[in-house]
Amino acid sequence: MSTAQRLPQRTKTVPERPIPQAGPPIFQSAIEVDPACVAPDMADLATRVRQLMNVRRDQVLQLPLGGNFFDIVVTASGPEAYAAVAVMDGIQRVGDERPDACGPVIEDPQRSWLIWLVPPGTSAQWAPHRHAMCLGRPHHLALPAVTSTEPPGPYWLRPFRGDRLVPPAALRQLLEQFQPGPTLHEAVLGSLLSTIS
């Protein structure tokens, strides 16, 4: 004896049957949302959207490190660091691409820093280094406006591009080779990063 049951068949529609007209959509003019009901990550998302809008308006953007964005390596600026940037340009350049191919680097002339943007998660793998400090979460970084490409104030020594960050392994080797001056302690450095603008 079979236990299978026959499924009900859909009834055939009659093409001539009249279809009622839908009325106009009704939207509420305002929706009240209790802030206590908003998930914490949504508040963070809203903050990030506002910050990205500020960048488009050529304003300073303060961004959390790590996550899906980037970590940073901070070195002293000066001739040794500039030499490392020039060599990194050659390493990162592909074909007939523009010569400033290094990956994004911010110079802060007031503090004599170079801030190299490296892939997120680099700080968890970065061994202590005499000539550089690598930071990720929970620090924040104030990014200059995208149009800031020269002093005064912090500016993009190498532009921020959507297709690359600075490769950390090659950067470590170049810092060992050129040996720019020592950097600050992490606690001091982290407290200053969000105020570089």
Side-chain angles (χ1 to χ4, degrees), residues 43-62:
D44 184 54
L45 175 62
T47 300
R48 293 186 187 201
V49 168
R50 282 193 296 272
Q51 291 170 338
L52 291 171
M53 290 172 67
N54 286 342
V55 169
R56 293 194 174 273
R57 297 184 188 118
D58 292 334
Q59 298 174 355
V60 172
L61 166 68
Q62 190 171 120

Side-chain angles (χ1 to χ4, degrees), residues 79-106 114 116-117 156-161 163-167 170-171 174-175 177-178:
E80 298 86 359
Y82 299 142
V85 171
V87 174
M88 187 66 78
D89 282 335
I91 292 172
Q92 293 274 77
R93 190 173 181 190
V94 178
D96 295 332
E97 165 175 68
R98 50 192 278 180
D100 56 351
C102 166
V105 181
I106 299 168
L114 289 189
W116 311 70
L117 277 60
W156 293 99
L157 180 66
R158 290 295 182 267
F160 192 96
R161 297 170 47 170
D163 65 341
R164 74 193 59 188
L165 293 169
V166 177
L171 178 59
L174 292 176
L175 297 178
Q177 178 181 349
F178 292 104

Side-chain angles (χ1 to χ4, degrees), residues 9-142:
Q9 298 294 314
R10 179 185 295 188
T11 58
K12 295 187 177 185
T13 59
V14 179
E16 295 80 27
R17 120 180 125 87
I19 299 174
Q21 293 289 326
I26 300 172
F27 297 101
Q28 293 179 335
S29 58
I31 299 175
E32 296 289 329
V33 178
D34 180 2
C37 297
V38 178
D41 59 339
M42 293 305 290
D44 184 54
L45 175 62
T47 300
R48 293 186 187 201
V49 168
R50 282 193 296 272
Q51 291 170 338
L52 291 171
M53 290 172 67
N54 286 342
V55 169
R56 293 194 174 273
R57 297 184 188 118
D58 292 334
Q59 298 174 355
V60 172
L61 166 68
Q62 190 171 120
L63 200 65
L65 300 178
N68 295 323
F69 296 105
F70 47 79
D71 287 353
I72 59 170
V73 172
V74 182
T75 67
S77 60
E80 298 86 359
Y82 299 142
V85 171
V87 174
M88 187 66 78
D89 282 335
I91 292 172
Q92 293 274 77
R93 190 173 181 190
V94 178
D96 295 332
E97 165 175 68
R98 50 192 278 180
D100 56 351
C102 166
V105 181
I106 299 168
E107 180 161 15
D108 183 349
Q110 180 183 355
R111 296 185 177 96
S112 299
W113 289 350
L114 289 189
I115 302 171
W116 311 70
L117 277 60
V118 296
T122 299
S123 61
Q125 303 168 2
W126 187 271
H129 197 287
R130 289 181 302 154
H131 305 288
M133 177 71 65
C134 186
L135 297 177
R137 287 180 173 171
H139 300 289
H140 287 67
L141 173 66

